[in-house]
Amino acid sequence: MAKLHEGRVVIVTGAAIGNGQAFAAEFAREGAQVVLADIIEATETRDRILAQAGACEPMLLTVDVTSEPATKEMARIVKEKFGRIDILINNAGIYDEEPFELLSLEAWKRVLDVNLTGLFLATKAVVPVMKQQQHGRIVNLSSDTIWLGTPYLVHYVTSKMGVVGFTRALATEVGKYGITVNAITLGLTATQRPPGARLNQGNILSHVLPPQAIERAETPEDIAQIVSFLASDASSIITGQTINVDGGVARH
Ligand SMILES: NC(=O)c1ccc[n+]([C@@H]2O[C@H](COP(=O)([O-])OP(=O)(O)OC[C@H]3O[C@@H](n4cnc5c(N)ncnc54)[C@H](O)[C@@H]3O)[C@@H](O)[C@H]2O)c1
């Protein structure tokens, strides 16, 4: 049986660890040529993909998504090497927790720069290629904190709400080229927490599970299934949407 993403070329930003790694592994498992774009070297993800029988050798690119030259170069290299770019997963993102009264302008700008400007630049770099192909899938990673108004994350929540606005407006402009743009608001997922995070690996489950309708820990592999669907031909009539995937904490 043909694999879901056979013949497709997918760029996953922030693919070195966490959710991005799981997304890249899922695309490789489903037959795609995967490009691992990260500010750090995605060797762990490459090894995970190569351990999967029949997976294509992934391309590793060191890319800072906040740099326009770097994102343009990313698109140029991928197009030159593989001839097309079918799917972009805008996953690279950062967060840190800070009460609003202590939130500095520097921290505010840093989070908006990676989470929002980075997504803009990566998308801007690939859309011309997708337009030429008359086919493209863009999936943007937002967060269920936008529905919940989670405290100590004003800069992060603002950036992730921006992702929803970006998704809605861009979808309208590029639909005529066969390009869909969708977002996922995921809940707290079992990836590595930054040092000093209020919810660390040790106490995360006791805080996260009680408000969920489905009381089990959400994993990057859960999210990977939804990302994969939104990047597939099966979702060709879905665009401009934001899908909430958080075990039923927020209702959207
Ligand atoms: N894990 C969660 O609980 C959760 C919840 C909601 C939303 N999200 C979103 O999911 C996405 C991935 O989250 P995660 O938990 O896997 O994060 P993570 O910290 O585990 O991984 C983020 C990746 O992005 C890369 N990155 C950071 N800055 C970059 C830059 N400037 N250019 C290129 N790459 C860069 C990092 O090197 C890293 O590989 C993020 O957008 C995040 O906001 C995560």
Side-chain angles (χ1 to χ4, degrees), residues 14 17 19 38-39 63-65 91 142 156 160 187-189 191:
I17 56 174
N19 285 309
D38 203 298
I39 200 165
V63 181
D64 178 350
V65 292
N91 167 75
S142 180
Y156 177 79
K160 292 300 183 181
L188 208 48
T189 307
T191 55

Side-chain angles (χ1 to χ4, degrees), residues 7 13 26 90 219:
T13 70
E26 178 61 21
N90 277 313
T219 67

Side-chain angles (χ1 to χ4, degrees), residues 25-82:
E26 178 61 21
F27 280 110
R29 198 178 67 79
E30 286 292 349
Q33 171 62 60
V34 182
V35 178
L36 310 173
D38 203 298
I39 200 165
I40 60 173
E41 229 191 337
T43 46
E44 190 183 296
T45 307
R46 180 194 58 203
D47 294 347
R48 178 170 165 182
I49 287 174
L50 290 177
Q52 298 179 160
C56 298
E57 168 107 32
M59 171 187 266
L60 272 66
L61 291 179
T62 305
V63 181
D64 178 350
V65 292
T66 66
S67 157
E68 186 165 31
T71 49
K72 278 185 168 169
E73 184 63 0
M74 169 184 82
R76 191 195 66 73
I77 292 172
V78 175
K79 169 82 166 97
E80 187 177 281
K81 172 85 177 165
F82 303 114

Side-chain angles (χ1 to χ4, degrees), residues 171-203:
T172 312
E173 287 195 43
V174 299
K176 56 183 170 291
Y177 309 131
I179 303 172
T180 67
V181 191
N182 291 292
I184 296 175
T185 52
L186 52 147
L188 208 48
T189 307
T191 55
Q192 200 63 43
R193 316 312 303 165
R198 194 174 48 92
L199 297 179
N200 57 41
Q201 290 293 40
N203 62 16

